[in-house]
Amino acid sequence: MSDKKIIIAGLAIFFVLITFPFWINMGKAANAPELILAPTAQAAMDSGEGCVLPLDEMRANHMQILDLWRHSVVRNAERIYVGADGKEYNMSLSNTCLDCHSNKADFCDRCHNYASVTPYCWDCHIDNPKGE
Amino acid sequence: MNAKYMYSFLAVLALFFLAYLGVRVPGLPVVFGILLPYAAVIIFIIGVGNRIMGWARSAVPFRITTTCGQQKSLSWIEQNKIDNPSSKGAVIVRMLLEVLCFRSLFRNTRIKMKEGPKLTYHLEIFLWIGALAFHYAFLVTILRHLRLFTEPVPYLIRLLETVDSFFRLEILYDVVQIGLPGVFISGFVLLAAAVYLFLRRLFIPQVKYISLAADYFPLFLIMGIAFTGIFMRYFSKVNVAAAKELAMGLVTFSPHIPESSISGVFYAHLLFVCVLLAYFPFSKLMHMGGIFLSPTRNLPGNTREVRHINPWNYPVKVHSYEAYEDDFREKMIEAGLPVVKQPAETAPEEKE
């Protein structure tokens, strides 16, 4: 009979553990991060010019593009990226990406913190090279 | 071709396409992203509770501890305290070793005939290593997924992610580009271990003979989970912020499908997990709870030390020989049968 108590206690502990995500978020609103586009980026979006790739692709793939850009610049000394629409870009985080997206704290960090991602871009690059 | 694994494989494949293609139909993302996950969690909790309570209700009338060493005996005979425990503390140590290190699996041996003919026993070390790798990789994978279910993400989970992505692998070719996001080693270990456990069933004839569809299905399902996860993270990519938005909506009970699109592979991954959760209580996967309730492990082997009374014994009306003789003594003596107590001694009692 004492076994049954132990089993129920164990089961209760197990259920408390597996429902962790439910009770840890109790009473919290699950707001997705709101991104603020820097003026230059906003202008590019409003004019329909857009980013290097379409929005959905950028959201999912930007890290891979940065990785490829770095590889291509550092290893192969190729600096020109031709976008899908034939437009040419300088493969540079500081000079191309951050030129428009000059607000790391309100743009990059919002999603990265939300998804618990710690990219090592900023180990070398400063976040706002032009000091705007 | 073996029907047992082919059917399991086809079932998992069908599940993949069900979700992958299903979410393209308007209205169905709600089913795959909201209804099924909730249903799966409810089935899991109620099912596991039922199964465990069913086991808790069943009787363990006698200690059937497996003794793997010297039982507690005379003071000059050394007891093997862990493999034949006689106290609660030793049982706890034994159970911890069992649950955390799979000790009985480690001791598992395989019998082989060698030329001679000699009968030999081998440690089946690879099964043990494979099982350890599989279970711990799965645990780490589940724990680090909590980053999608918590906001802000607790420090311990971020620490786990850092440790898990300790090896900074980057493979950059025209065909394959792996490296960003950082490579989590646990996912690959999980997939490799699941594949190993499957191949073991396939290539060892004795194991193949006893393997059923119920053995292959969870393996394929877990391989599917690991594969879709890895594929999504390193190859096809997915909008993680949107995936977390969906997950957070579920755990805060304000479910909604995020506006920015999530790929079909994500929904396949999610459906696999839902099926695994819902299938869990009805399958061999219940060994997760069962290992704690194994009467061969979780009881002290003290059958000679302590008298164990059957718990459902109720007072039985007995007629002892003494009482029988008291009832029939005269008649027994008349018939010439021997009696223990002589009538002269019992005479005063009879008057009472």
Side-chain angles (χ1 to χ4, degrees):
Chain A
M1 293 305 108
S2 67
D3 285 358
K4 214 173 221 173
K5 276 182 200 156
I6 296 171
I7 293 169
I8 291 172
L11 199 59
I13 292 171
F14 174 68
F15 283 151
V16 168
L17 285 180
I18 59 158
T19 51
F20 168 80
F22 291 103
W23 51 259
I24 197 77
N25 289 308
M26 202 91 88
K28 283 186 203 165
N31 293 329
E34 266 180 53
L35 301 187
I36 297 173
L37 283 176
T40 334
Q42 187 67 55
M45 192 162 169
D46 294 341
S47 70
E49 193 184 348
C51 201
V52 178
L53 287 175
L55 187 61
D56 273 347
E57 265 182 74
M58 278 315 280
R59 277 185 178 149
N61 279 332
H62 61 278
M63 75 299 284
Q64 193 167 7
I65 290 167
L66 287 171
D67 209 19
L68 287 174
W69 280 18
R70 183 188 59 179
H71 185 79
S72 141
V73 169
V74 175
R75 304 279 170 194
N76 307 335
E78 287 164 13
R79 290 190 163 271
I80 303 300
Y81 175 81
V82 183
D85 52 354
K87 202 180 164 196
E88 288 187 354
Y89 296 91
N90 181 14
M91 291 193 205
S92 166
L93 174 65
S94 295
N95 296 328
T96 306
C97 306
L98 298 183
D99 200 25
C100 292
H101 301 290
S102 53
N103 52 343
K104 170 175 175 276
D106 290 334
F107 186 73
C108 309
D109 290 352
R110 288 268 166 104
C111 279
H112 287 159
N113 290 343
Y114 184 64
S116 172
V117 179
T118 44
Y120 54 76
C121 311
W122 320 109
D123 291 2
C124 302
H125 291 268
I126 53 170
D127 60 9
N128 190 355
K130 300 206 170 147
E132 283 161 12
Chain B
M1 285 291 140
N2 179 326
K4 283 165 191 160
Y5 63 76
M6 277 317 287
Y7 283 144
S8 305
F9 180 68
L10 290 177
V12 172
L13 210 61
L15 285 174
F16 177 86
F17 284 110
L18 180 70
Y20 185 75
L21 302 174
V23 288
R24 293 175 189 208
V25 181
L28 280 190
V30 177
V31 175
F32 288 108
I34 296 171
L35 296 181
L36 283 178
Y38 275 134
V41 168
I42 291 168
I43 293 173
F44 177 80
I45 289 179
I46 294 177
V48 168
N50 258 342
R51 256 335 252 287
I52 299 275
M53 288 323 290
W55 285 330
R57 273 192 296 273
S58 43
V60 183
F62 192 68
R63 314 236 141 165
I64 52 167
T65 324
T66 34
T67 55
C68 310
Q70 174 61 49
Q71 192 174 34
K72 189 180 179 190
S73 179
L74 301 168
S75 58
W76 44 271
I77 299 175
E78 201 191 338
Q79 182 201 358
N80 189 337
K81 282 190 176 151
I82 292 173
D83 288 322
N84 199 335
S86 56
S87 66
K88 233 178 204 170
V91 169
I92 290 171
V93 172
R94 191 187 200 196
M95 284 302 289
L96 282 178
L97 285 171
E98 184 66 38
V99 172
L100 301 177
C101 308
F102 309 168
R103 187 177 163 86
S104 61
L105 191 62
F106 176 69
R107 297 161 64 105
N108 184 25
T109 50
R110 196 152 134 213
I111 305 169
K112 260 188 198 167
M113 289 295 276
K114 280 211 166 168
E115 77 284 355
K118 280 180 192 160
L119 192 63
T120 57
Y121 296 89
H122 301 260
L123 274 181
E124 248 200 287
I125 198 82
F126 287 108
L127 175 60
W128 178 68
I129 291 174
L132 269 184
F134 173 81
H135 284 87
Y136 277 102
F138 211 161
L139 178 67
V140 171
T141 308
I142 289 170
L143 287 180
R144 67 171 165 71
H145 270 77
L146 286 177
R147 80 180 170 119
L148 300 174
F149 295 94
T150 49
E151 177 61 32
V153 181
Y155 173 72
L156 280 178
I157 292 165
R158 280 186 286 138
L159 186 70
L160 183 71
E161 285 189 303
T162 314
V163 174
D164 199 7
S165 59
F166 176 76
F167 294 102
R168 182 139 281 164
L169 301 170
E170 287 200 18
I171 304 165
L172 286 176
Y173 290 105
D174 289 342
V175 204
V176 216
Q177 288 130 14
I178 302 180
L180 276 182
V183 173
F184 283 140
I185 207 75
S186 58
F188 289 95
V189 172
L190 175 64
L191 183 59
V195 168
Y196 165 71
L197 293 176
F198 165 65
L199 292 179
R200 185 183 150 270
R201 287 193 182 277
L202 209 57
F203 287 118
I204 302 176
Q206 295 92 328
V207 184
K208 187 179 181 180
Y209 183 71
I210 58 167
S211 295
L212 304 171
D215 296 313
Y216 291 113
F217 180 67
L219 273 175
F220 281 126
L221 204 56
I222 291 164
M223 274 191 250
I225 291 172
F227 179 78
T228 47
I230 287 171
F231 186 75
M232 196 157 54
R233 183 174 173 86
Y234 306 106
F235 300 99
S236 79
K237 309 289 181 190
V238 68
N239 182 354
V240 182
K244 182 163 182 175
E245 200 184 328
L246 176 68
M248 287 300 291
L250 289 174
V251 294
T252 53
F253 298 108
S254 50
H256 60 277
I257 299 294
E259 282 169 33
S260 39
S261 67
I262 318 180
S263 73
V265 184
F266 170 80
Y267 283 102
H269 187 68
L270 188 62
L271 180 67
F272 282 159
V273 174
C274 292
V275 170
L276 187 72
L277 278 179
Y279 176 66
F280 200 98
F282 312 102
S283 66
K284 65 181 232 169
L285 301 171
M286 271 308 289
H287 70 263
M288 180 173 77
I291 191 167
F292 292 95
L293 301 187
S294 312
T296 57
R297 303 279 150 189
N298 66 9
L299 295 168
N302 56 1
T303 42
R304 296 178 195 191
E305 233 174 296
V306 182
R307 184 174 178 215
H308 297 280
I309 294 164
N310 191 344
W312 64 82
N313 272 359
Y314 63 98
V316 178
K317 209 178 171 190
V318 290
H319 193 203
S320 69
Y321 178 72
E322 284 77 15
Y324 172 86
E325 201 180 276
D326 287 345
D327 290 348
F328 299 105
R329 186 167 289 107
E330 316 271 289
K331 285 174 180 135
M332 287 168 78
I333 292 170
E334 269 174 39
L337 292 172
V339 288
V340 177
K341 281 187 188 172
Q342 294 310 312
E345 295 168 36
T346 55
E349 286 175 20
E350 278 176 358
K351 282 177 189 167
E352 280 176 22

